[in-house]
Amino acid sequence: MANNKFSSGLMLSLRQLRRSPLMIVVHLSVLFLVILWTFPTAGLLISSFRDKDQLAVSGWWQSLSSSEQNIIGRTSAPDQQVLLDGKYVLSGTIEGFALQDTILRFGWTSKQPEAYQVNTIASMKNAGTLTVSSDGQYTMTSLVPFTGSRGKRVFYTQLTSPKFTLDNYVEVLNSEGIGQSFINSLTVTIPATIIPILIAAFAAYALSWMRLPGRGLLIALVVGLLVVPLQMSLIPLLQLYNTIGSYFGVSAKTYFGIWLAHTGFGLPLAIYLLRNYIAGLPKEIIESARVDGANDFEIFVKIILPLSFPALASFAIFQFLWVWNDLLVATVFLGNGEHELVLTGRLRELLGSRGGNWEILTASAFVSIAVPLTVFFTLQRYLVRGLLSGSVK
Amino acid sequence: MEQLFYSLLVMLLGVLSCVFYFVGSNWLLLLIYPVKHVSNVKMAQNIRRAAAIRPWLFLGPALFFLILYLVYPVFDSVYLSLHGRNGEEFVGLANYEWLFQDNEFLESLTNNILWLLIVPALSTFFGLIIAALTDRIRWGDFAKSLIFMPMAISFIGASIIWKFVYDYRAEGSDQIGLLNALVEYFGGTPQAWITLPFWNDIFLMVILIWIQTGFAMVILSAALRGIPEETVEAAVLDGANGFQIFFKILIPQIWTSIAVVWTTITILVLKVFDIVLAMTNGQWDTQVLANMMFDWMFRGGGDFGRGAAIAVIIMIAVIPVMIWNVRQANAQMEGR
């Protein structure tokens, strides 16, 4: 009885703890951390949809507010002029002006690009006048005819309303080669994800349930190979590929080569993950199948493979993310050609050649991370499970 | 598109040839050691023989790949590191002697040590804090999923994201990088952060910490949930406060998980390459071993001897973790 009272008192204090001001601190600090972790990506995503002129002059957090911009437009060409009351007149909408914007100030020389408020009359050379209204309409007059083939330059400051567009995506997908690289990345990733799974599954079964001399040693080998840095393999394999390539008279950098390389590099994790799972399956299932006269091949194909689906999915996600996001292996084992350069390689190239063009970089980067993010958010469950069983503990 | 079709075809071929290998070798095995239509003695003998051979058929392809792509290169890299730039003439330890008086290498080594000290520690720290905090609130799973998200982003994509955060515009014009805008808002002077020696190392590390915290959080969150509730309840009854519970009850019980997270991130840090390549390519005193190695593979037509020597140095740094992992795995298996 006393014990009961005591534990209900404990429950009460825990419940109070949940409502206490301390919990508000917890909520706020988690909120702060979430903001800290998501803002960089959010900035990239928002920026990729912004108009490139706005992106270059204001931060993405200001993307919803209007900004002032200095722009140079033109009047219509002199052949549009009409003679009115002894004056030559050109009028219309300033070329290049977007109707949703508002003009604040204007000017007619580059030295004083915003000398006049809208709707005031600016006097120019030869007793000419220029007036611009906020909706982009202008009237320019002169006592002498306008000459030349092009219109006169008009300088103005406008209040630009926020502009969101898909133009950046259209541009990177077509003219910056991101579209082609997307296909190249898929070409590398799909086979490089599927091929190791089968090989690893058979090996994992052998290492879990088959009688085999030196099994412990082989498992230790796999665990050891888990951490061997990729850097160790690069030069020897590059040499090997070069030798084989020149022997058969083909290029050393082929899709076939990179598929096999990713298979090799992914195998230790694949075997380790799958072995952890398969070794944990109930012994009775396998033994009763053995009693029924099934050999190991039948047991594996008919029982183990279907049961291991969660582990297979975990590894598939890992390998997919790793291959899609890889830059090192792709740079060393695959060429730079238009039909070979993968997304990560293309991003690296763009960082060099279009380093200041954030509209290109943000849109390209988002195209490359869209696929892994989709995989991540839809299949997170398997990824977490894989992480938990895949780290050596 | 045609290319994608081609790759799907190859994928199918690859899978089929795997299937063909496994099915075919099994068929061959049964042909050599038949179990049907033979005497009982013969059958028992054949089953035993087939069972002795079959594991190696199962393991064959995996062993082939592991040995060709990982085991052989380790030895070949050591061999190459003792040879000249084409791997032909033997030069003894000359490549290593050169390394240890090369300024770029010493700089990389110092930077790598800094990375090794800071990144695993901060990732684990943030991961632990977030795991502990999110466990107590209702929207914790949602928060965790958002913090976990950078795990899916490539290093090069993350570099672009953060290069945008660090972007610098000359004073006077509006800053479009978040960091400089904040600095300016609080009255500081905007800086070109990634060109500022020493501090730029920290700014590059932030990227990896941002990516790896999610990993630490997932592992540690699972470990925290695995702690038996009685231990916490007992501590509450004994009048322990929140901090005491966290540091004296929870932390000791998840110590192995913390070690796992720490070592895994340590290995990753040793291999970090893409971030440095994309952000600075080693300029402004930010060089690290992995990027320097990559550089020497291709610099001036490539110096395989020096490149391999740097790879061997990275490998030596990994060996303690490797031994620890193998011992842990062995201990775990004996427990089964």
Side-chain angles (χ1 to χ4, degrees):
Chain A
M1 198 59 190
N3 190 16
N4 212 351
K5 201 173 163 188
F6 196 63
S7 70
S8 73
L10 179 71
M11 289 301 287
L12 200 70
S13 73
L14 280 176
R15 213 173 297 148
Q16 275 168 348
L17 198 72
R18 275 181 210 285
R19 287 206 201 112
S20 70
L22 200 69
M23 279 317 286
I24 296 173
V25 178
V26 171
H27 280 287
L28 285 180
S29 23
V30 173
L31 188 68
F32 173 74
L33 288 164
V34 167
I35 287 175
L36 204 61
W37 252 260
T38 49
F39 262 39
T41 321
L44 180 94
L45 179 59
I46 293 171
S47 297
S48 70
F49 288 110
R50 294 183 72 199
D51 178 73
K52 66 176 176 189
D53 296 322
Q54 297 186 0
L55 171 58
V57 295
S58 67
W60 57 268
W61 52 93
Q62 297 166 323
S63 61
L64 285 178
S65 56
S66 301
S67 58
E68 284 192 10
Q69 236 176 325
N70 297 318
I71 294 176
I72 305 170
R74 273 184 193 279
T75 66
S76 332
D79 57 10
Q80 307 279 320
Q81 61 189 307
V82 288
L83 191 60
L84 264 183
D85 302 336
K87 284 179 181 169
Y88 294 91
V89 178
L90 264 179
S91 64
T93 309
I94 296 175
E95 265 176 41
F97 178 74
L99 285 174
Q100 70 267 28
D101 300 327
T102 315
I103 294 183
L104 300 173
R105 294 177 293 277
F106 70 97
W108 55 277
T109 62
S110 57
K111 281 179 194 152
Q112 292 178 303
E114 40 185 344
Y116 304 93
Q117 294 295 320
V118 283
N119 295 330
T120 56
I121 297 173
S123 25
M124 303 193 291
K125 287 177 287 194
N126 302 331
T129 64
L130 171 68
T131 176
V132 175
S133 64
S134 60
D135 60 357
Q137 296 294 323
Y138 72 90
T139 310
M140 185 164 67
T141 67
S142 169
L143 292 175
V144 292
F146 298 108
T147 54
S149 60
R150 304 180 67 185
K152 191 180 156 33
R153 286 198 293 175
V154 179
F155 301 86
Y156 60 94
T157 303
Q158 67 171 14
L159 198 61
T160 315
S161 48
K163 240 183 276 175
F164 292 98
T165 157
L166 289 173
D167 288 356
N168 302 335
Y169 285 95
V170 174
E171 185 177 352
V172 298
L173 287 177
N174 299 323
S175 50
E176 296 294 339
I178 291 289
Q180 178 62 42
S181 285
F182 192 89
I183 294 175
N184 298 346
S185 271
L186 275 181
T187 312
V188 172
T189 311
I190 299 172
T193 304
I194 308 282
I195 296 172
I197 292 183
L198 259 184
I199 296 178
F202 274 96
Y205 175 74
L207 291 176
S208 320
W209 294 107
M210 291 168 98
R211 215 168 289 165
L212 176 73
R215 195 171 80 177
L217 211 64
L218 284 174
I219 296 173
L221 176 77
V222 170
V223 174
L225 291 179
L226 269 178
V227 296
V228 167
L230 208 52
Q231 276 80 9
M232 287 301 272
S233 300
L234 296 181
I235 294 177
L237 287 176
L238 190 64
Q239 278 192 325
L240 186 72
Y241 276 31
N242 282 338
T243 314
I244 293 176
S246 63
Y247 184 78
F248 288 107
V250 292
S251 164
K253 301 185 167 190
T254 60
Y255 278 114
F256 190 67
I258 197 172
W259 289 328
L260 294 188
H262 275 303
T263 300
F265 300 143
L267 268 183
L269 182 67
I271 298 176
Y272 182 75
L273 252 177
L274 294 177
R275 200 204 83 90
N276 274 355
Y277 189 87
I278 291 174
L281 291 174
K283 203 174 180 182
E284 292 75 28
I285 302 180
I286 290 136
E287 278 178 356
S288 66
R290 277 211 182 117
V291 171
D292 289 346
N295 65 35
D296 282 309
F297 185 79
E298 289 160 341
I299 295 175
F300 176 77
V301 173
K302 290 187 184 143
I303 300 173
I304 304 293
L305 217 47
L307 279 179
S308 316
F309 177 76
L312 298 177
S314 292
F315 171 72
I317 294 167
F318 265 117
Q319 180 77 355
F320 179 86
L321 290 179
W322 148 248
V323 175
W324 183 272
N325 289 338
D326 158 80
L327 172 67
L328 186 55
V329 178
T331 316
V332 177
F333 295 112
L334 201 58
N336 267 333
E338 186 61 21
H339 288 274
E340 287 181 326
L341 193 58
V342 293
L343 274 173
T344 47
R346 182 79 69 174
L347 286 183
R348 179 195 164 204
E349 215 167 66
L350 287 177
L351 263 176
S353 63
R354 309 296 295 263
N357 296 56
W358 281 111
E359 77 281 0
I360 305 274
L361 289 177
T362 53
S364 309
F366 195 73
V367 170
S368 91
I369 67 179
V371 174
L373 282 188
T374 314
V375 170
F376 173 82
F377 280 117
T378 48
L379 302 170
Q380 202 179 28
R381 208 156 38 99
Y382 292 108
L383 187 68
V384 169
R385 197 180 300 171
L387 271 187
L388 290 177
S389 60
S391 29
V392 182
K393 35 183 173 295
Chain B
M1 272 302 127
E2 196 181 308
Q3 183 183 350
L4 205 58
F5 177 74
Y6 169 69
S7 89
L8 286 174
L9 195 75
V10 172
M11 187 188 83
L12 206 67
L13 273 177
V15 172
L16 280 181
S17 57
C18 276
V19 172
F20 180 78
Y21 165 81
F22 287 114
V23 175
S25 64
N26 190 60
W27 176 80
L28 209 64
L29 197 64
L30 286 179
L31 198 71
I32 298 170
Y33 298 114
V35 291
K36 282 171 191 157
H37 315 297
V38 288
S39 69
N40 277 353
V41 181
K42 189 84 178 159
M43 185 175 87
Q45 196 186 17
N46 280 352
I47 286 180
R48 227 179 313 113
R49 281 182 183 157
I53 293 175
R54 201 175 273 118
W56 299 105
L57 293 179
F58 277 31
L59 277 171
L63 282 179
F64 168 78
F65 275 105
L66 289 179
I67 288 170
L68 180 65
Y69 280 86
L70 292 162
V71 177
Y72 149 76
V74 169
F75 294 101
D76 197 42
S77 275
V78 174
Y79 171 88
L80 282 172
S81 75
L82 303 174
H83 289 71
R85 54 184 306 134
N86 300 322
E88 277 156 13
E89 55 164 335
F90 180 77
V91 296
L93 292 175
N95 286 324
Y96 294 96
E97 278 163 18
W98 165 80
L99 271 185
F100 281 96
Q101 49 81 39
D102 180 61
N103 282 333
E104 194 186 0
F105 175 76
L106 296 176
E107 172 199 316
S108 308
L109 209 57
T110 329
N111 284 338
N112 258 110
I113 291 171
L114 264 180
W115 279 77
L116 284 176
L117 290 177
I118 295 174
V119 175
L122 286 187
S123 304
T124 314
F125 172 76
F126 279 119
L128 186 58
I129 297 285
I130 294 168
L133 289 179
T134 48
D135 254 5
R136 305 157 126 232
I137 58 179
R138 207 169 290 160
W139 56 290
D141 281 345
F142 176 69
K144 273 200 279 194
S145 150
L146 286 178
I147 290 172
F148 191 31
M149 180 197 67
M151 271 292 279
I153 297 175
S154 60
F155 287 144
I156 199 106
S159 300
I160 291 183
I161 290 176
W162 283 89
K163 212 167 188 177
F164 192 46
V165 171
Y166 299 149
D167 190 66
Y168 167 72
R169 296 286 155 113
E171 234 176 311
S173 52
D174 276 359
Q175 297 296 336
I176 65 167
L178 190 57
L179 182 63
N180 274 324
L182 283 175
V183 166
E184 210 167 52
Y185 181 79
F186 288 110
T189 322
Q191 301 274 358
W193 300 107
I194 55 171
T195 61
L196 222 61
F198 180 71
W199 292 106
N200 52 9
D201 278 322
I202 307 287
F203 288 114
L204 299 196
M205 289 177 206
V206 165
I207 304 175
L208 196 56
I209 295 170
W210 179 71
I211 294 175
Q212 287 302 313
T213 296
F215 164 72
M217 177 195 73
V218 165
I219 303 276
L220 297 176
S221 173
L224 283 177
R225 286 190 179 169
I227 292 176
E229 271 182 41
E230 299 85 55
T231 56
V232 181
E233 275 169 22
V236 172
L237 289 182
D238 287 344
N241 65 30
F243 280 97
Q244 285 172 322
I245 293 176
F246 189 70
F247 286 107
K248 297 204 168 143
I249 309 292
L250 299 184
I251 296 277
Q253 295 194 64
I254 58 168
W255 198 243
T256 27
S257 294
I258 291 179
V260 167
V261 169
W262 200 291
T263 49
T264 310
I265 299 177
T266 299
I267 296 291
L268 190 81
V269 167
L270 278 169
K271 298 189 281 186
V272 70
F273 146 80
D274 320 40
I275 294 178
V276 176
L277 180 79
M279 296 294 281
T280 62
N281 198 10
Q283 294 178 83
W284 307 295
D285 302 345
T286 53
Q287 189 66 293
V288 292
L289 292 177
N291 191 50
M292 187 182 171
M293 186 257 161
F294 177 78
D295 206 19
W296 274 105
M297 263 180 84
F298 300 110
R299 188 188 284 180
D303 188 326
F304 284 177
R306 288 178 177 180
I310 303 172
V312 170
I313 300 280
I314 300 176
M315 182 71 200
I316 289 171
V318 167
I319 285 177
V321 177
M322 189 190 253
I323 293 172
W324 190 79
N325 273 357
V326 171
R327 287 174 62 171
Q328 289 294 110
N330 278 344
Q332 202 185 7
M333 269 193 310
E334 273 158 29
R336 272 226 173 109

